[in-house]
């Protein structure tokens, strides 16, 4: 069984009970006759859920029972994304400066940077940015040519250190006479305190064309505690309405949703409405930074609202960009021990996508089940896609050679049909979600799905799909009849002209 993180054994006479708390938030109770058998099963489950080595995990032993039609490991290479970019602009280039992961351990071997910046300059900028995460292209807005970059914090320190190559790199994205925006996902006081530890922020004296905006997004233990409180509230069936609402509010989960969506909307607004390029970073550039850049693309780019476009976004902005999935998704909400680096960063992103999806239900090719699937596989999977913390670790583990990609399974036609939104209509416009408290709801599909009967919901969803399917069939018949009517009218006019 995948995703088991905690077992609890209870004994009544000769009957043993094992309570299994899973990473997908499910709680399973097993009643097993015989104390010895129960203890053996419990110890086996415990051992398999606390493996010491990544290479002992299930993806290394899983053998697919389906025909592999597509190698998911090579489905969304950055070279393919650059090919798409090259068709609309020639201001960018592919750099292989990090081909051996020596410049930045958490970056992929290939990145997209301004054409005017050479690799030697990139090496100097990497020394000036935390963890070597120099500014790289995240998104290019075809509508007006504005760019969104992402990086980590600059290492300015208390002495106000500067790097002219860094200044030149981000200025290369600006149009003549235009300003840019730096969106820092830390509060101002935290950014200022970071200088004492060697970090910092872009000082206006060295970046006069850039305006810095601080949009605080919570991370790490605060976010994890919020997640745990929310799950506890959802599992507690005993409280009345007042107590439920009080515990929901105390979790602060919806507040984190609001803060993140607000920051993403700000980034999108700077690009689309202000006509300005944007640089997004926090401290390391591997968590809140990626949340903002990927959500901004959901708002701005209709391609990211398709199934393959969203998969490409997850690969590009999360997997290749170095989000440490192995650390962040280690234990989920039921862990006894507090993991220092545990945090539901990716889940928070998926929930924000769901919130936007709920407000624009016809603008997404995928349905809610697709988002739930990604949540489940990020925490526990038979596929190797989310193993490791970055591309360097995945290369060392030889995941493409030794494990199967999630995309190889998901993108098979018979599987894809389960994740398609029946009311999808391609929308080429920018979509602006509401972040008002009244517009945000608890994601029942994740947090309440194991606590309520789902049969009626599934029946209602099936009926809805059948109605939509029948409506499309009727629409197709109407279109055929209209064509036939138009042809008959045309034939009639021709006959009238031929008659003397």
């Amino acid at each position: 069984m995948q995703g088991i993180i905690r077992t609890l054994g209870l004994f009544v006479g000769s009957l043993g009970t094992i309570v299994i708390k899973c990473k997908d938030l499910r709680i399973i109770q097993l009643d097993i006759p015989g104390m010895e058998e129960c203890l053996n099963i419990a110890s086996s489950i415990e051992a398999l859920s606390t493996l010491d080595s990544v290479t002992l995990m299930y993806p290394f032993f899983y053998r697919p029972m389906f025909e592999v039609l597509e190698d998911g490991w090579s489905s969304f290479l950055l070279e393919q994304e650059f090919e798409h970019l090259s068709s609309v602009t020639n201001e960018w280039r592919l750099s292989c400066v990090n081909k051996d992961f020596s410049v930045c351990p958490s970056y992929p071997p290939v990145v997209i940077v301004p054409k005017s910046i050479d690799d030697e300059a990139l090496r100097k900028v990497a020394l000036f940015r935390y963890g070597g995460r120099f500014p790289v292209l995240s998104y290019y807005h075809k509508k007006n040519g504005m760019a969104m970059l992402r990086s980590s914090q600059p290492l300015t320190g208390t002495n106000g250190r500067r790097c002219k190559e860094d200044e030149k790199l981000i200025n290369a994205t600006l149009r003549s006479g235009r300003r840019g925006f730096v969106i820092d996902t830390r509060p101002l006081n935290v950014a200022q305190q970071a200088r004492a530890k060697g970090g910092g922020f872009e000082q206006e004296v060295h970046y006069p064309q850039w305006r810095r905006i601080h949009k605080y997004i919570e991370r790490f233990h605060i976010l994890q505690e919020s997640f745990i409180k929310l799950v506890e509230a959802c599992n507690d069936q005993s409280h009345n309405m007042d107590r439920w609402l009080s515990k929901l509010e105390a979790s602060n989960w919806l507040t984190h949703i609001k803060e993140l969506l607000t920051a993403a909307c700000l980034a999108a607004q700077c690009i689309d409405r202000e006509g300005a390029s944007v640089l997004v970073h926090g401290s390391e550039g591997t968590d809140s930074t990626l949340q903002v850049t990927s959500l901004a693309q959901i708002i701005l780019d209709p391609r990211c609202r398709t199934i393959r476009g969203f998969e490409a976004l997850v690969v590009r902005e999360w997997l290749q960009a170095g989000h440490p999935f192995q650390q962040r998704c280690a234990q989920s909400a039921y862990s006894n021990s507090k993991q220092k680096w545990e945090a539901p960063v990716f889940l928070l992103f998926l929930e924000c996508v769901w919130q936007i999806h709920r407000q624009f239900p016809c603008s997404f090719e995928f349905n809610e089940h697709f988002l739930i699937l990604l949540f489940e596989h990020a925490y526990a999977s038979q596929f190797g896609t989310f193993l490791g913390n970055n591309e360097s670790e995945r290369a060392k583990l030889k995941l493409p050679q030794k494990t199967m990609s999630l995309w190889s399974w998901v993108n098979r036609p018979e599987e894809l049909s389960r994740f398609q939104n029946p009311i999808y209509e391609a929308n080429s416009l920018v979509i602006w979600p509401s972040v008002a408290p009244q517009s945000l709801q608890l994601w029942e599909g994740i947090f309440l799905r194991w606590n309520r009967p789902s049969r009626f919901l599934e029946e209602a969803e099936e009926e809805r799909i059948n109605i939509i399917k029948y409506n499309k069939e009727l629409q197709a018949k109407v279109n055929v009849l209209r064509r036939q009517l138009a042809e008959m009218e045309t034939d009639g006019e021709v006959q009238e002209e031929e008659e003397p």
Side-chain angles (χ1 to χ4, degrees):
M1 188 175 293
Q2 301 168 47
I4 297 164
I5 62 158
R6 186 179 167 200
T7 60
L8 179 65
L10 301 169
F11 297 98
V12 179
S14 62
L15 183 69
T17 297
I18 300 176
V19 178
I20 306 171
K21 296 190 173 182
C22 306
K23 288 184 178 180
D24 63 0
L25 310 183
R26 182 176 3 189
I27 298 177
I28 299 170
Q29 178 175 315
L30 303 177
D31 294 327
I32 299 166
M35 190 179 295
E36 188 177 347
E37 288 87 344
C38 184
L39 287 170
N40 288 339
I41 293 170
S43 61
S44 295
I45 293 173
E46 197 73 43
L48 289 170
S49 64
T50 53
L51 297 169
D52 295 329
S53 171
V54 175
T55 55
L56 294 175
M57 290 184 171
Y58 185 43
F60 286 92
F61 302 93
Y62 171 70
R63 294 295 174 265
M65 301 297 288
F66 58 86
E67 183 186 359
V68 179
L69 303 174
E70 172 187 351
D71 178 15
W73 289 111
S74 57
S75 292
F76 304 107
L77 300 176
L78 202 64
E79 289 85 347
Q80 297 164 353
E81 188 64 28
F82 181 71
E83 203 173 299
H84 179 76
L85 175 68
S86 300
S87 65
V88 292
T89 177
N90 62 355
E91 298 172 339
W92 303 84
R93 71 179 182 92
L94 275 178
S95 170
C96 298
V97 69
N98 198 45
K99 62 179 181 293
D100 54 0
F101 304 106
S102 60
V103 175
C104 177
S106 61
Y107 268 177
V110 180
V111 291
I112 301 175
V113 295
K115 186 180 274 188
S116 59
I117 308 298
D118 61 29
D119 282 356
E120 189 54 41
L122 293 178
R123 290 188 182 93
K124 292 178 181 177
V125 178
L127 295 173
F128 180 67
R129 293 278 172 173
Y130 183 91
R133 293 178 68 88
F134 55 89
V136 296
L137 181 69
S138 172
Y139 170 68
Y140 181 84
H141 199 41
K142 288 189 289 184
K143 177 180 168 183
N144 57 14
M146 295 299 108
M148 179 163 57
L149 305 176
R150 51 175 161 76
S151 70
S152 58
Q153 65 177 327
L155 303 177
T156 55
T158 53
N159 296 326
R161 180 173 166 236
R162 68 183 292 194
C163 174
K164 291 186 177 180
E165 288 81 6
D166 186 85
E167 296 159 24
K168 183 181 176 184
L169 193 163
I170 66 170
N171 285 338
T173 67
L174 297 176
R175 293 282 182 265
S176 179
R178 302 302 293 269
R179 287 171 64 88
F181 292 89
V182 176
I183 297 179
D184 193 325
T185 62
R186 304 167 293 177
L188 178 58
N189 65 318
V190 171
Q192 289 172 334
Q193 290 166 9
R195 295 169 65 182
K197 299 177 182 177
F201 51 84
E202 294 78 5
Q203 296 175 308
E204 289 179 19
V205 65
H206 302 316
Y207 300 85
Q209 292 172 274
W210 293 81
R211 181 189 165 199
R212 196 174 70 253
I213 304 172
H214 291 270
K215 276 290 178 185
Y216 182 38
I217 298 171
E218 201 61 76
R219 307 181 309 146
F220 297 143
H221 68 280
I222 300 291
L223 202 55
Q224 180 67 7
E225 285 172 13
S226 175
F227 181 36
I228 291 170
K229 285 180 182 177
L230 178 61
V231 171
E232 284 177 354
C234 292
N235 286 343
D236 188 348
Q237 305 289 315
S238 63
H239 39 51
N240 57 28
M241 178 63 80
D242 289 344
R243 185 167 161 76
W244 156 247
L245 293 175
S246 174
K247 291 184 85 169
L248 179 61
E249 183 181 9
S251 75
N252 271 332
W253 185 257
L254 291 177
T255 301
H256 300 317
I257 298 289
K258 183 182 188 302
E259 288 170 349
L260 180 50
L261 282 172
T262 301
C265 286
L266 173 65
Q269 187 174 347
C270 290
I271 292 167
D272 186 70
R273 293 183 174 173
E274 300 293 328
S277 287
V278 170
L279 169 65
V280 183
H281 72 71
S283 298
E284 297 89 357
T286 57
D287 293 285
S288 54
T289 298
L290 307 183
Q291 289 175 324
V292 172
T293 57
S294 49
L295 282 172
Q297 290 178 63
I298 292 287
I299 293 167
L300 293 169
D301 188 0
R303 207 161 54 107
C304 294
R305 297 173 224 143
T306 65
I307 292 177
R308 288 194 73 91
F310 190 74
E311 291 172 353
L313 180 73
V314 169
V315 171
R316 187 175 67 249
E317 291 298 297
W318 290 88
L319 293 162
Q320 293 173 351
H323 177 66
F325 280 97
Q326 198 80 35
Q327 292 178 344
R328 300 292 182 267
C329 302
Q331 298 288 315
S332 191
Y334 291 134
S335 173
N336 281 331
S337 60
K338 284 193 175 181
Q339 302 287 321
K340 185 179 179 183
W341 304 113
E342 178 90 13
V345 177
F346 186 61
L347 171 59
L348 195 68
F349 158 70
L350 292 175
E351 168 136 9
C352 286
V353 175
W354 177 80
Q355 298 283 352
I356 302 172
H357 191 298
R358 201 180 56 78
Q359 294 182 30
F360 298 90
C362 298
S363 295
F364 290 81
E365 187 185 19
F366 51 86
N367 57 25
E368 178 189 21
H369 301 303
F370 186 60
L371 298 174
I372 294 172
L373 172 99
L374 292 176
F375 156 68
E376 291 177 337
H377 283 273
Y379 276 90
S381 178
Q382 66 267 46
F383 304 103
T385 301
F386 291 103
L387 289 181
N389 291 309
N390 49 55
E391 292 294 88
S392 173
E393 288 188 12
R394 293 183 192 103
K396 287 174 185 172
L397 290 167
K398 297 182 178 178
L399 293 184
Q401 294 81 30
K402 295 184 176 182
T403 69
M404 180 62 59
S405 167
L406 171 65
W407 316 123
S408 297
W409 173 65
V410 168
N411 290 328
R412 296 165 69 243
E414 56 266 44
E415 295 300 331
L416 267 183
S417 61
R418 291 172 39 220
F419 305 120
Q420 288 172 335
N421 177 9
I423 58 173
Y424 171 64
E425 291 181 11
N427 177 6
S428 61
L429 300 175
V430 175
I431 55 176
W432 297 104
S434 168
V435 296
Q438 301 91 324
S439 303
L440 304 179
Q441 291 186 9
L442 177 68
W443 190 4
E444 296 181 20
I446 288 287
F447 296 106
L448 296 179
R449 62 177 169 154
W450 307 117
N451 304 330
R452 59 180 187 180
S454 60
R455 182 169 61 87
F456 301 114
L457 291 170
E458 290 168 0
E459 288 176 359
E461 177 65 14
E462 191 176 333
E463 184 62 25
R464 186 173 77 100
I465 291 171
N466 288 336
I467 290 170
I468 293 164
K469 186 179 177 183
Y470 183 56
N471 183 57
K472 286 181 178 178
E473 290 173 359
L474 291 177
Q475 190 63 51
K477 287 180 181 178
V478 168
N479 292 336
V480 169
L481 291 171
R482 279 179 176 161
R483 280 198 300 270
Q484 290 175 350
L485 181 61
E487 288 170 3
M488 290 170 65
E489 288 175 347
T490 303
D491 291 342
E493 290 172 3
V494 170
Q495 286 178 3
E496 286 178 7
E497 289 173 5
E498 289 176 352
E499 289 176 0

